[in-house]
Amino acid sequence: MKAVGLLEYLPIEREDSLFDFKATKPTATGKDLLVKINAISINPVDVKVRAPKEKKEETPKVLGWDASGVVVEVGEDCELFQPGDEVFYAGAINRPGTYSEYHLVDERIVGKKPTSLSFAEAAAMPLTTITAWEALFERLAIHPENKQENNAMSILIIGGAGGVGSIAIQLAKWAGLEVIATASRSETENWVKQLGADHIINHYEPLKEQLATKQLLEVDYILCLNNTDQHWEAMGEVIKPQGKICSIVENEQPLDLNVLKSKSATFVWEFMFTKSLYTTPDIMNQHVLLNKASEMMDQNVIKTTLQEKLSPICAETLRKAHAKVESGKMIGKLVVEGFAD
């Protein structure tokens, strides 16, 4: 089968940073599905894993997590899917990735592809949807069914226009929260407004002062999707007593948790690969939430965040895609679809 891999971790401008090669088509066993890949989307994690470092691989390493495609084979322990099913998923960080014609994935982290979306539109969604869903409804313990109670609550989403922010805004609005999103350019401001943000502020300017102009002194929840180090002190200032903060961006400097002590505020990480990496008892939650999100997409409750599409899936196209994501200027999601014949 066709695949795209790397042996060295190089700047994306280098032609050998990602290369085309032929790999052995795998076979589904156990709880694995073998999926024929139709489309993939590129996330910051793709860029981060590929970023220059000294390490070298002995055999080609295949990156890629988000994917949509068709099940062609199921393992003997599979109960959720059959060959011919259209699926979407975000994969596991400790297994070969989706930059390949065929891909093995544990069925417990796979969802049914929304019927109303194309494969490209669907491929944009899994990783960011799982991340936003888990951050809001598991880590921050927001209960979407309590919409009346949530109407009195507010959430600040730092980095609203990126992939996770684009879905988090929609899910937070669905749950009934007042949503303040950050954006720093006119095009990102327009995007988060379209997604339903009630207020927009700039993450390069002091948060507390900007919130005050919106008659908001403090917020109940914060979801940090951009530079935890930079925003740490400001988040401590604007979180309500007994409020909750979740971040998906690892810190480079030690975080001073004393900032939160007097408020008895909660801080929690979200890493959507935790369940697949450790095969946690609740790993099936990702299957359930993807199916729920799929229904919501088919009902137009939430919409795809696809903003740009490239083809075909090959090293040259993926190098362009990585460069775009690496620029830090992405709005929504970038998808690459279709292997060349």
Side-chain angles (χ1 to χ4, degrees):
M1 65 177 181
K2 293 177 183 176
V4 177
L6 61 81
L7 286 171
E8 296 182 76
Y9 296 83
L10 303 168
I12 201 59
E13 297 76 24
R14 289 272 299 267
E15 273 198 29
D16 50 347
S17 59
L18 293 170
F19 59 85
D20 298 301
F21 74 104
K22 290 285 187 186
T24 303
K25 180 180 171 183
T27 301
T29 59
K31 289 190 176 296
D32 277 350
L33 309 174
L34 181 65
V35 178
K36 188 177 191 305
I37 299 292
N38 286 353
I40 58 178
S41 87
I42 313 306
N43 291 283
V45 65
D46 298 55
V47 169
K48 184 183 171 189
V49 173
R50 194 222 76 246
K53 55 181 79 71
E54 291 299 317
K55 184 180 176 183
K56 292 186 179 181
E57 301 291 341
E58 292 183 9
T59 57
K61 181 180 179 70
V62 179
L63 305 180
W65 289 280
D66 268 339
S68 64
V70 179
V71 176
V72 294
E73 207 176 276
V74 300
E76 64 277 10
D77 297 328
C78 288
E79 300 172 341
L80 306 173
F81 296 97
Q82 296 296 327
D85 288 345
E86 296 182 350
V87 295
F88 73 149
Y89 59 90
I93 201 161
N94 56 336
R95 299 187 68 179
T98 56
Y99 298 0
S100 59
E101 278 188 287
Y102 295 89
H103 182 248
L104 287 177
V105 61
D106 187 317
E107 69 167 359
R108 294 171 293 179
I109 58 172
V110 175
K112 179 186 174 187
K113 183 186 84 68
T115 56
S116 61
L117 299 187
S118 67
F119 282 102
E121 290 168 332
M125 301 304 287
L127 188 146
T128 53
T129 299
I130 294 170
T131 302
W133 191 290
E134 289 185 346
L136 295 172
F137 307 138
E138 295 184 22
R139 312 302 174 212
L140 293 175
I142 296 164
H143 300 289
E145 66 276 11
N146 296 344
K147 289 185 172 53
Q148 190 169 355
E149 183 182 313
N150 293 340
N151 283 337
M153 312 283 267
S154 57
I155 184 167
L156 170 62
I157 299 174
I158 300 174
V164 178
S166 296
I167 187 69
I169 290 169
Q170 297 182 73
L171 289 175
K173 284 305 296 175
W174 169 68
L177 294 161
E178 182 177 13
V179 177
I180 307 102
T182 75
S184 60
R185 294 176 283 145
S186 59
E187 56 266 43
T188 53
E189 286 180 15
N190 290 335
W191 174 244
V192 299
K193 196 177 293 181
Q194 287 174 41
L195 295 172
D198 297 294
H199 309 284
I200 302 164
I201 62 176
N202 190 322
H203 46 252
Y204 292 117
E205 295 174 14
L207 302 181
K208 189 173 184 179
E209 287 83 344
Q210 293 179 88
L211 286 172
T213 67
K214 314 285 185 186
Q215 284 71 56
L216 291 162
L217 299 178
E218 295 170 313
V219 293
D220 298 278
Y221 305 102
I222 299 175
L223 177 55
C224 181
L225 311 173
N226 170 278
N227 201 326
T228 303
D229 289 316
Q230 176 189 330
H231 301 296
W232 183 249
E233 294 285 337
M235 290 193 288
E237 281 185 333
V238 302
I239 193 67
K240 278 186 181 176
Q242 302 182 97
K244 294 178 177 151
I245 300 171
C246 177
S247 179
I248 69 167
V249 184
E250 65 269 36
N251 55 306
E252 293 182 9
Q253 303 298 322
L255 297 178
D256 179 11
L257 289 174
N258 289 323
V259 167
L260 309 179
K261 185 177 185 299
S262 68
K263 291 184 176 179
S264 298
T266 298
F267 175 70
V268 63
W269 293 111
E270 160 58 17
F271 185 52
M272 66 128 293
F273 293 119
T274 297
K275 289 171 182 162
S276 56
L277 185 59
Y278 296 100
T279 320
T280 59
D282 61 350
I283 187 171
M284 182 81 87
N285 284 11
Q286 293 195 342
H287 164 73
V288 173
L289 81 81
L290 282 176
N291 277 355
K292 173 64 176 173
S294 180
E295 289 174 11
M296 292 167 70
M297 290 172 214
D298 284 338
Q299 293 161 2
N300 263 336
V301 176
I302 51 178
K303 65 178 184 178
T304 181
T305 54
L306 171 63
Q307 283 291 283
E308 189 169 354
K309 194 163 59 173
L310 302 175
S311 64
I313 301 171
C314 66
E316 182 182 2
T317 312
L318 285 168
R319 286 195 296 271
K320 290 177 186 172
H322 272 242
K324 284 177 178 285
V325 173
E326 208 166 53
S327 74
K329 302 290 186 187
M330 280 295 302
I331 298 174
K333 292 297 296 293
L334 167 66
V335 166
V336 184
E337 67 174 340
F339 282 88
D341 294 330

